[in-house]
Amino acid sequence: MHSDLGEEMTEPIVRVEGLNKHFGSTQALRDLRFDVAPGTVCGLLGPNGAGKTTAVRVLATLLRPDSGTALIAGHDVVRDPMAVRKRIGLAGQHAALDETLTGRENLRIFGRLYHLSARSARARADELLERFDLATAGDRQVKGYSGGMRRRLDLIASLIVAPDVLFLDEPTTGLDPRSRNEVWEAVRGLVTDGTTVLLTTQYLDEADQLANNIVVIDTGTAVADDTPGNLKATIGAHLDVTVEHVDQLATVARELRTLTGAEPEVVADERRVTSVLDTKTVPLPKVTLMLHESGVAISDLALRHPTLDEVFLRLTGEQKPLAHNEIEMTEDRT
Amino acid sequence: MTSIAGPRRERGALYDLLADSATMILRNLLRFKHSPGEIIGTIMFPLAMILIFGYIFGSAIPIPGGGNYREFLMPGLFAMGAAASFAGIMQKMANDNQLGVMDRFRSMPASRSAVPVGTSGAELINYTLGLVVTALCGWATGWTAHTGFWSVAAGFGVILLFAFGMIWLGIFLGSLVRNVTTAERLAPLFMPLTMISNTFVPTGNMPAWLRAIADWNPVSALVESCRALFGNPGLSSSTAWSMQHPVATILLWSIALIAVFAPLSVRRFQKMNL
Ligand SMILES: Nc1ncnc2c1ncn2[C@@H]1O[C@H](COP(=O)(O)OP(=O)(O)O)[C@@H](O)[C@H]1O
Ligand SMILES: [Mg+2]
């Protein structure tokens, strides 16, 4: 949670206080609260159905919360939505573009709706296309674009008037790794301009790559709010040890328990033991040495980030771990 | 960032509404530029209808009081296009909803009323184009108006007015449905509206109950108005008020559609929750 160090901290540019939102009997937001400091990237991390899109829609003045307040640069999203709209950009879960128009035409239309003159709308479109490597594709119809190009164009469309706060709802979901990297690069570029970014994601590594601060959200509530480093430290990296013979699982589990002080998870089917590992206190060579000395035949050894499920398991107290997986398989609601 | 386009100029709400509506119309015109296929479709559909009804079915349908079936048919085709004009815009709006284009518009500091208002204008332009094409196809296959300029102008005027009312209905429905599939299922709704009417056959031989429905169908009133205003054959002998006063009837229907669905649509876009 935020440290309040007596001294005045800079005013948060996004302030979310006790937001609640129901859809029928579903409570999409449940006393959601978090702050975003200006010029930073905040990652709203959570599984499908956690309430990320609902939160973004409230902040972008598209949805009225049942209760609670949200301020963007001091402006209340419910009481003064116009002031908020002048300061935000939104790139939603889908590329919100006109497929039949060219990239450049899409940007011109959006520029006009932001009340730029015809000439500055055109100039701004050219400038942004150039900057995000879409200058040549700009004159082709969007329907011929790759997923990554669409995403980038969508991102550009939300930047037309250089917003103070940019909302990106799952900017890389459904993209191949290469396109994902392109979008990440683009987001990093924005931050150097001083734009505050609030991005939602289902991927821990994405939040880790981009965010200064991660708010973990589950069933509409923030269950953690910290830097990626602290968050990972509290959860720890995960070590997967796969052995040659099933009868050696117990040995490995015992050794790892002694080493890490945490209870490892044994998956007999896969001949695997998984344990939390803080590499600062227990360096990896120490683990391999220990395993070697205990005479276990190792077929695979991997140190990795915890998966979102594991983070959740840890943060939400082992409730419904598998429900998330199940939800993730289903098609996205629009 | 090099050239920030600068804070938006402050202008009046009405200026914003008009300027932003014009932008929505520009968006629509650009779409047209890129999809010549749509234009070919616009031409092919009335031509196919003229061929199927005018030459195949029409040869078996006698017109009360005599007259050429294709002369009888054209007002029906105009009205059919007007009645169907809600379907296309409903699907386009549903598509924009689904892709999040509507969300983007609504998160921008543009006039929120401009989305429905501009869209209605753009769609009326599309419809007018289709109407001109249909009329030219009819004219090429022997249809013509036999009345004076003002009468013909009034005929096309009521067609456009009713189409405008149906477009507002389509905009409202389009703002309700959030995915294209639902919109596609709703689209064929206009079929019974055009079939249970005097569009393709005179109503004189229908069973009494069906004839009553057909007589009071707004599409019938529009067709009847056009036949009267264009001097085309097959005027109804029905005593129903709507058939005695077809122009008044269709004007009332059109104004009612616009008066109900335009404010409802605009309100929906201005509201925070969609
Ligand atoms: N318009 C809506 N109508 C009904 N339920 C909704 C609506 N929007 C979201 N929900 C529900 O609210 C919950 C949160 O959804 P959402 O904010 O889309 O989650 P996320 O973006 O994290 O996947 C889900 O259970 C979802 O089904
Ligand atoms: Mg979502």
Side-chain angles (χ1 to χ4, degrees):
Chain A
M1 290 291 148
H2 276 304
S3 58
D4 239 335
L5 303 171
E7 71 182 291
E8 258 320 275
M9 299 205 309
T10 46
E11 274 289 296
I13 192 159
V14 177
R15 166 155 267 175
V16 177
E17 277 174 350
L19 285 185
N20 283 291
K21 179 73 193 175
H22 287 84
F23 293 107
S25 59
T26 323
Q27 188 161 10
L29 298 181
R30 194 186 305 263
D31 193 31
L32 180 67
R33 48 184 77 233
F34 65 88
D35 287 346
V36 182
T40 65
V41 180
C42 173
L44 202 55
L45 173 71
N48 221 330
K52 303 182 296 294
T53 299
T54 307
V56 166
R57 288 174 60 84
V58 169
L59 292 176
T61 78
L62 298 175
L63 206 59
R64 179 189 290 273
D66 299 339
S67 62
T69 52
L71 304 178
I72 307 287
H75 300 279
D76 189 303
V77 296
V78 175
R79 264 184 259 134
D80 197 0
M82 257 312 176
V84 172
R85 282 175 209 144
K86 286 178 196 169
R87 291 170 173 81
I88 61 168
L90 168 69
Q93 231 165 325
H94 305 269
L97 303 162
D98 200 321
E99 299 264 305
T100 44
L101 303 195
T102 67
R104 210 176 291 275
E105 286 166 344
N106 265 290
L107 296 182
R108 267 175 58 204
I109 295 293
F110 290 129
R112 296 292 281 150
L113 288 175
Y114 274 115
H115 300 159
L116 303 185
S117 67
R119 182 196 297 204
S120 24
R122 205 181 287 262
R124 183 69 177 150
D126 293 346
E127 178 195 337
L128 286 167
L129 286 169
E130 190 69 45
R131 177 165 161 212
F132 289 91
D133 273 342
L134 282 171
T136 45
D139 291 320
R140 296 209 313 263
Q141 279 179 282
V142 171
K143 64 171 113 165
Y145 282 23
S146 71
M149 285 160 73
R150 266 168 219 245
R151 275 295 178 182
R152 269 185 293 153
L153 185 64
D154 196 53
L155 194 63
I156 291 177
S158 61
L159 292 175
I160 288 176
V161 287
D164 294 342
V165 182
L166 178 63
F167 299 111
L168 303 176
D169 194 6
E170 302 201 19
T172 65
T173 298
L175 292 188
D176 57 76
R178 197 188 133 170
S179 309
R180 171 169 300 185
N181 269 317
E182 289 173 4
V183 173
W184 283 359
E185 274 315 307
V187 173
R188 288 196 189 100
L190 293 180
V191 184
T192 53
D193 287 343
T195 306
T196 306
V197 180
L198 176 66
L199 69 90
T200 78
T201 179
Q202 302 192 32
Y203 309 113
L204 184 62
D205 64 328
E206 179 159 286
D208 189 13
Q209 285 280 335
L210 297 176
N212 307 92
N213 215 61
I214 298 180
V215 176
V216 182
I217 174 173
D218 180 39
T219 58
T221 302
V223 293
D225 181 345
D226 219 328
T227 63
N230 287 346
L231 207 57
K232 274 188 295 181
T234 58
I235 296 156
H238 278 52
L239 178 75
D240 290 334
V241 181
T242 310
V243 297
E244 298 276 359
H245 303 291
V246 186
D247 45 8
Q248 293 177 325
L249 284 174
T251 318
V252 176
R254 190 181 58 232
E255 294 293 337
L256 284 177
R257 191 181 307 120
T258 327
L259 214 55
T260 64
E263 186 58 38
E265 180 197 5
V266 180
V267 185
D269 292 355
E270 299 170 20
R271 286 180 280 113
R272 175 167 58 84
V273 180
T274 296
S275 173
V276 174
L277 184 72
D278 182 354
T279 47
K280 285 200 203 79
T281 54
V282 187
L284 198 54
K286 207 165 163 184
V287 178
T288 46
L289 185 66
M290 174 276 290
L291 290 171
H292 177 70
E293 280 172 351
S294 61
V296 187
I298 304 294
S299 68
D300 194 24
L301 185 86
L303 187 66
R304 58 173 173 83
H305 285 321
T307 64
L308 186 54
D309 267 351
E310 286 161 339
V311 174
F312 263 79
L313 213 65
R314 191 50 92 77
L315 290 171
T316 59
E318 333 259 324
Q319 299 150 9
K320 43 171 181 63
L322 287 170
H324 296 298
N325 265 337
E326 225 172 285
I327 297 169
E328 257 167 74
M329 306 294 291
T330 59
E331 229 333 275
D332 227 12
R333 197 192 52 80
T334 45
Chain B
M1 218 160 278
T2 50
S3 80
I4 296 310
R8 63 194 276 277
R9 287 166 285 150
E10 290 298 336
R11 314 178 294 194
L14 183 66
Y15 187 100
D16 278 356
L17 173 62
L18 294 178
D20 296 341
S21 297
T23 305
M24 297 302 290
I25 291 176
L26 172 67
R27 172 174 182 249
N28 178 69
L29 293 179
L30 287 170
R31 270 183 183 171
F32 245 112
K33 185 180 101 185
H34 287 292
S35 38
E38 216 171 283
I39 295 166
I40 292 170
T42 318
I43 299 172
M44 291 312 285
F45 186 69
L47 259 183
M49 295 303 285
I50 291 170
L51 288 180
I52 295 170
F53 284 94
Y55 289 89
I56 302 173
F57 296 152
S59 53
I61 301 172
I63 307 301
N68 181 330
Y69 180 76
R70 284 199 301 285
E71 290 253 308
F72 170 85
L73 173 68
M74 284 316 293
L77 287 186
F78 295 147
M80 184 175 154
S85 61
F86 80 95
I89 187 57
M90 176 177 69
Q91 280 163 286
K92 280 184 232 169
M93 299 261 307
N95 187 50
D96 280 347
N97 263 336
Q98 188 171 334
L99 289 179
V101 180
M102 286 299 165
D103 275 358
R104 169 157 286 150
F105 286 153
R106 284 160 20 88
S107 75
M108 291 173 25
S111 157
R112 277 197 175 182
S113 316
V115 176
V117 170
T119 303
S120 73
E123 199 59 19
L124 190 64
I125 293 175
N126 291 350
Y127 175 74
T128 308
L129 232 75
L131 181 63
V132 169
V133 171
T134 310
L136 287 177
C137 289
W139 185 66
T141 53
W143 165 81
T144 180
H146 306 282
T147 49
F149 174 81
W150 289 111
S151 187
V152 175
F156 283 112
V158 289
I159 295 172
L160 287 174
L161 191 68
F162 182 66
F164 197 54
M166 291 303 284
I167 286 169
W168 274 111
L169 170 69
I171 289 174
F172 182 68
L173 292 177
S175 74
L176 289 179
V177 292
R178 284 182 190 187
N179 66 74
V180 182
T181 328
T182 317
E184 273 164 5
R185 292 209 188 104
L186 283 174
L189 273 182
F190 77 93
M191 283 310 275
L193 195 65
T194 51
M195 298 309 278
I196 308 176
S197 73
N198 57 1
T199 310
F200 300 113
V201 291
T203 56
N205 295 330
M206 290 182 181
W209 62 273
L210 195 60
R211 181 173 189 180
I213 298 178
D215 279 349
W216 284 97
N217 183 342
V219 174
S220 295
L222 179 56
V223 175
E224 189 74 8
S225 307
C226 292
R227 286 187 185 135
L229 290 166
F230 294 152
N232 291 141
L235 289 180
S236 170
S237 57
S238 167
T239 52
W241 190 88
S242 56
M243 288 294 102
Q244 297 289 321
H245 309 277
V247 176
T249 307
I250 197 61
L251 285 180
L252 285 175
W253 269 105
S254 308
I255 290 165
L257 280 171
I258 297 167
V260 171
F261 291 110
L264 275 181
S265 311
V266 168
R267 232 196 65 192
R268 254 189 92 66
F269 278 86
Q270 278 173 337
K271 250 187 12 185
M272 204 162 176
N273 290 339
L274 193 66

